């Protein structure tokens, strides 16, 4: 057996472009008014952050059925505030779960967490929400 010494390590930085559907947000603001829409968006952002973290814990615990439920709830919440990419990736997690494909679940869940973080940052920046 021959062992080679590696001198270089390649770091892959995964970054995808996310956007918030302006039409969804505009409709929400038209329907609820500025204060009402901002309240809905803030609560949705909080809920998304909590559920993304919960999805990660459920996966680590091997709770596939609960992970499926959590991903479904992410779809509904993210669609409501125009995070359509996040909704699509959550649907991909469900598809991987339904296919009983462990590596695909792990990969799509990792992507879901990345997209979730980027989406929350995008809507935060878009809305210029202050605490």
């Amino acid at each position: 057996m021959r062992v080679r010494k590696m001198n270089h390590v390649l770091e892959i930085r995964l970054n995808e472009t996310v956007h918030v559907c302006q039409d969804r947000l505009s409709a929400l603001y038209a329907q609820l008014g500025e204060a009402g829409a901002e309240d809905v968006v803030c609560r949705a952002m909080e809920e998304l952050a909590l559920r993304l973290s919960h999805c990660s814990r459920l996966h680590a615990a091997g709770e596939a059925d609960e992970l499926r439920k959590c991903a479904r709830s992410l779809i509904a919440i993210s669609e409501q505030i125009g995070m359509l990419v996040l909704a699509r990736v959550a649907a991909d997690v469900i598809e991987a779960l339904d296919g009983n494909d462990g590596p695909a679940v792990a990969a799509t869940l990792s992507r879901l967490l990345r997209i979730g973080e980027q989406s929350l940052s995008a809507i935060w920046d878009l809305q210029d929400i202050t605490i």
Side-chain angles (χ1 to χ4, degrees):
M1 179 193 302
R2 186 174 175 188
V3 178
R4 288 182 5 179
K5 182 179 178 184
M6 299 183 98
N7 294 327
H8 301 282
V9 175
L10 177 64
E11 179 181 350
I12 300 174
R13 295 183 186 196
L14 300 172
N15 190 16
E16 295 183 59
T17 302
V18 298
H19 65 277
V20 177
C21 179
Q22 293 289 346
D23 292 340
R24 286 279 163 98
L25 281 178
S26 294
L28 195 60
Y29 274 77
Q31 181 182 10
L32 302 175
E34 186 173 340
E38 285 183 5
D39 185 51
V40 167
V41 170
C42 285
R43 281 189 281 138
M45 289 174 61
E46 288 176 21
E47 198 60 37
L48 285 171
L50 289 171
R51 288 177 194 245
L52 286 165
S53 176
H54 190 56
C55 280
S56 182
R57 287 190 306 273
L58 290 169
H59 181 256
E63 296 286 339
D65 290 337
E66 291 301 314
L67 177 55
R68 183 179 289 102
K69 289 177 190 175
C70 194
R72 278 195 183 113
S73 68
L74 283 172
I75 293 170
I77 297 166
S78 57
E79 284 179 342
Q80 180 185 27
I81 60 172
M83 293 182 176
L84 303 182
V85 174
L86 182 61
R88 189 182 68 233
V89 176
D92 291 342
V93 170
I94 293 169
E95 185 176 331
L97 285 164
D98 290 345
N100 200 27
D101 186 342
V105 171
T108 55
L109 181 61
S110 291
R111 183 170 182 235
L112 178 68
L113 298 175
R114 282 193 313 275
I115 295 293
E117 182 178 324
Q118 292 171 359
S119 295
L120 288 171
S121 293
I123 201 164
W124 186 271
D125 292 343
L126 181 67
Q127 295 299 307
D128 194 26
I129 296 171
T130 58
I131 297 178

